Amino acid sequence: MSTPVAPDLEFIRSLKAFGGENLKSCYQCATCSVVCPISTDDRPFPRPEMIHAQWGMKEKLVSDPLVWVCHNCRDCSSYCPRGAKPGELLSAVRDYTITHFAWPRPFARLFNDAKYLPLLFAIPAVILLVALGIEGHLHIPEGEIVYSKLFSIHILEYLYIPVSFFGFIAGLMGMRRYWTGISAHRAGESPRRTMAEAAVLTGKEILSHTQFRKCSVEGKRYYGHLPMLYGFLGAFATTTLVTLYYYLFDRLTPLPLYDPVKILGNVSAVLLLYGCARLVARRFEKGPEERNNLPSSYFDWLFLGLLTAVAVTGTLTELTRLSGAAGIAYPTYFIHLCLIFMLLGYMPYSKFAHLFYRTAAMVHEKMYAAEEVAVVLPGPPEEPPEEVEEEEEEEEAAAPAAAGGPAATSPLGGGGSPLGGGSKIGGGAPPSMFGGSKIGGGAPPSSPLGGGSKIGGGPPPSSPLGGGGGIGGTPPPPPGGGSKIGGSPPPPAGGSKIGGSPPPPAGGSTIGGSPPPPAPGGSKIGGTPPPPMFGGVPGGAKPPAPPAPPAEEEAKDE
């Protein structure tokens, strides 16, 4: 049954503006789904998402939970043969999703364009200036630097508790809309876990950052994102404890440097600074081509830049207070308060909202997944296997022969090759073609058309048309020749003789200069090179017939 598609062209343009400008380069090779660790047989990812983006199928993408389960490891972008950058497109979809489900939605559009940034900063600045005017503190206080002289704790509570409450409630409203959308994908299914169980698993995963640690292309992001998370949580805890100090113990700021709450705040500031610095540096430590694959939209930079500015100005407020530079300390503190207002009040509309959407997607997937959803990111592409040295191959092939196992056979003679053996000086199965010789090592190959020779080793090969010769080994088989120095006389046919008669027409080897055999196989140590294929002499000339053995020698052999 065909499904009508109504492309949303405005949605496509929005994705390009958020950083997915290469989405049309995808030609559906499915490489991204092959390398993606969260892709399964029944739910390939992100190949369908690339199709939905190209066709402008907005409703399918914004309610797709896998878009947020993805941790942007960027392996798909690194392996993509077309440079379509699926990872960057998914980042663009996430950014658009925040705007799509935001509440109220019109206000979210202010965060998609840099021209509204001065307005976003002006809103808290004006509110704080009005508060200073009401308090009569539109000047730099004299004496010891105490920031409560500029803004009392009550003024800050009256301002920032409602702002934080608004940001949190608006974020929950957006997350509720998103949850309704992604639940449609599981209509009719029964969850395998309760929401509480899934939430516990999700919390452990977030706090441990196990998925970031398994990244290959973006593995270093773990060392920036984790300290940034704990730095932010520590700073939030410090603010809460300072409030409790005031109401429970009537203790005012500034606190001494040795106070536990002060120590927690300073450690949190260091973690936050370090994490933000690592994430910012990550975008510039790569080559130009790799850096081009990193998210670079204004929306993506806004949150990271805002959080970095909060960490920097917060650190400067303490350093300038300790140094006694009141002319710098109070203005820096004012800017710091403006940035905190933006961070908390604008949370549902910036990338900070991933706190809500990614958490919801991960909980949802863990509720319905048969097994725990774990984003196990692949490692970097492996280097191609090195070519195995010929000596190593031959030694491995010779191992069974050295242990007494059967030698390889070939229908055309010698060695482990279907076309014959070859020669090897020093052990192992001969890999080349049509016979050959082996000096020292395991058992030589056998061949119905003639094998090689073996000087110093196991039993020689057997062949109906002529075998090899063994020097210092066991007697050759009766059907086909071979010679033995220091043992019993050779059989009437085949073989070779050291210091005696020339070899027979088939099989055997010649040591000392006699012509090669006409049949395939055999080798020659110290004489002419072995025949190229199926016996004979190079160039097509027939080999000279061997002279008849002297009568005396023949009688002696008999």
Side-chain angles (χ1 to χ4, degrees):
M1 180 179 178
S2 61
T3 303
V5 176
D8 190 331
L9 300 182
E10 183 60 33
F11 173 62
I12 296 176
R13 283 190 286 267
S14 297
L15 291 182
K16 290 183 176 181
F18 278 117
E21 62 274 3
N22 292 337
L23 64 92
K24 292 293 185 179
S25 299
C26 173
Y27 62 178
Q28 287 297 302
C29 68
T31 300
C32 54
S33 293
V34 172
V35 301
C36 180
I38 65 174
S39 178
T40 59
D41 292 341
D42 58 334
R43 297 179 73 188
F45 179 83
R47 185 186 182 188
E49 284 72 16
M50 296 299 292
I51 298 177
H52 298 158
Q54 289 178 326
W55 281 88
M57 302 172 71
K58 179 178 70 175
E59 295 304 323
K60 282 187 172 294
L61 277 176
V62 297
S63 58
D64 187 345
L66 291 181
V67 171
W68 282 100
V69 173
C70 165
H71 279 59
N72 197 25
C73 70
R74 293 185 55 254
D75 279 21
C76 54
S77 296
S78 299
Y79 282 92
C80 180
R82 289 279 293 169
K85 302 181 182 179
E88 285 59 52
L89 174 65
L90 294 172
S91 294
V93 173
R94 288 190 286 269
D95 296 345
Y96 183 89
T97 301
I98 293 173
T99 303
H100 179 75
F101 289 109
W103 179 87
R105 186 176 301 175
F107 188 57
R109 297 191 178 96
L110 298 176
F111 298 83
N112 299 335
D113 198 328
K115 66 183 180 182
Y116 297 114
L117 181 59
L119 175 62
L120 295 176
F121 184 82
I123 293 174
V126 170
I127 293 175
L128 290 174
L129 287 173
V130 170
L132 287 177
I134 294 174
E135 290 288 311
H137 293 164
L138 287 173
H139 61 276
I140 295 178
E142 299 179 356
E144 181 186 1
I145 300 176
V146 178
Y147 292 121
S148 58
K149 293 179 180 180
L150 190 66
F151 289 101
S152 66
I153 191 169
H154 298 291
I155 291 294
L156 295 180
E157 288 175 349
Y158 296 154
L159 291 176
Y160 284 89
I161 288 179
V163 167
S164 301
F165 185 78
F166 168 79
F168 186 73
I169 294 300
L172 289 179
M173 292 290 292
M175 185 174 70
R176 180 179 176 276
R177 292 178 175 181
Y178 175 68
W179 184 272
T180 302
I182 61 178
S183 296
H185 286 263
R186 300 285 190 178
E189 294 187 34
S190 298
R192 301 176 185 271
R193 294 186 180 94
T194 65
M195 183 180 292
E197 293 173 336
V200 170
L201 292 174
T202 300
K204 291 180 178 179
E205 190 172 304
I206 292 174
L207 294 176
S208 63
H209 267 42
T210 53
Q211 311 311 333
F212 287 95
R213 195 171 188 177
K214 295 172 183 176
C215 289
S216 57
V217 175
E218 288 298 314
K220 293 182 179 180
R221 192 168 49 144
Y222 167 83
Y223 300 100
H225 203 278
L226 186 65
M228 183 180 70
L229 170 66
Y230 280 100
F232 177 81
L233 293 177
F236 182 80
T238 301
T239 304
T240 304
L241 291 173
V242 166
T243 304
L244 293 176
Y245 263 24
Y246 175 75
Y247 284 105
L248 297 180
F249 306 106
D250 199 24
R251 295 188 61 181
L252 298 174
T253 56
L255 298 174
L257 294 176
Y258 55 81
D259 188 274
V261 175
K262 191 66 172 182
I263 294 174
L264 174 63
N266 289 335
V267 171
S268 301
V270 171
L271 289 175
L272 191 59
L273 279 172
Y274 175 78
C276 292
R278 284 294 299 258
L279 293 179
V280 172
R282 177 183 67 90
R283 304 183 177 218
F284 299 99
E285 65 185 6
K286 300 176 180 292
E289 182 176 350
E290 292 179 283
R291 193 183 309 131
N292 189 42
N293 290 333
L294 292 169
S296 57
S297 67
Y298 164 74
F299 189 88
D300 180 76
W301 272 103
L302 178 61
F303 172 63
L304 181 58
L306 181 60
L307 191 59
T308 303
V310 168
V312 171
T313 55
T315 304
L316 289 177
T317 55
E318 181 175 3
L319 295 178
T320 53
R321 181 184 65 81
L322 294 175
S323 65
I328 301 175
Y330 286 109
T332 303
Y333 181 61
F334 180 85
I335 295 174
H336 180 65
L337 292 178
C338 291
L339 295 174
I340 291 179
F341 187 104
M342 296 174 65
L343 184 68
L344 299 179
Y346 303 159
M347 176 170 51
Y349 315 106
S350 68
K351 198 172 181 178
F352 200 4
H354 76 285
L355 172 69
F356 298 100
Y357 294 98
R358 175 161 284 148
T359 302
M362 293 173 67
V363 169
H364 188 273
E365 286 300 293
K366 292 182 187 300
M367 286 177 60
Y368 288 91
E371 297 179 359
E372 181 179 351
V373 176
V375 185
V376 183
L377 302 179
E382 296 182 359
E383 296 292 333
E386 296 182 0
E387 247 180 73
V388 181
E389 297 292 335
E390 184 179 352
E391 287 77 13
E392 295 178 1
E393 292 180 353
E394 294 170 347
E395 287 172 6
E396 291 175 2
T409 58
S410 168
L412 296 179
S417 166
L419 298 179
S423 67
K424 177 172 171 68
I425 310 297
S432 59
M433 299 171 59
F434 310 116
S437 70
K438 175 166 178 171
I439 302 180
S446 59
S447 169
L449 299 181
S453 69
K454 176 173 170 79
I455 301 179
S462 59
S463 169
L465 298 182
I471 301 181
T474 57
S483 67
K484 180 173 175 120
I485 304 303
S488 59
S496 67
K497 188 174 178 77
I498 307 300
S501 59
S509 68
T510 303
I511 301 181
S514 56
S523 70
K524 180 172 173 121
I525 309 295
T528 60
M533 293 181 65
F534 300 99
V537 179
K542 294 182 179 180
E552 296 179 2
E553 186 73 17
E554 186 175 349
K556 182 178 179 181
D557 291 341
E558 293 176 358

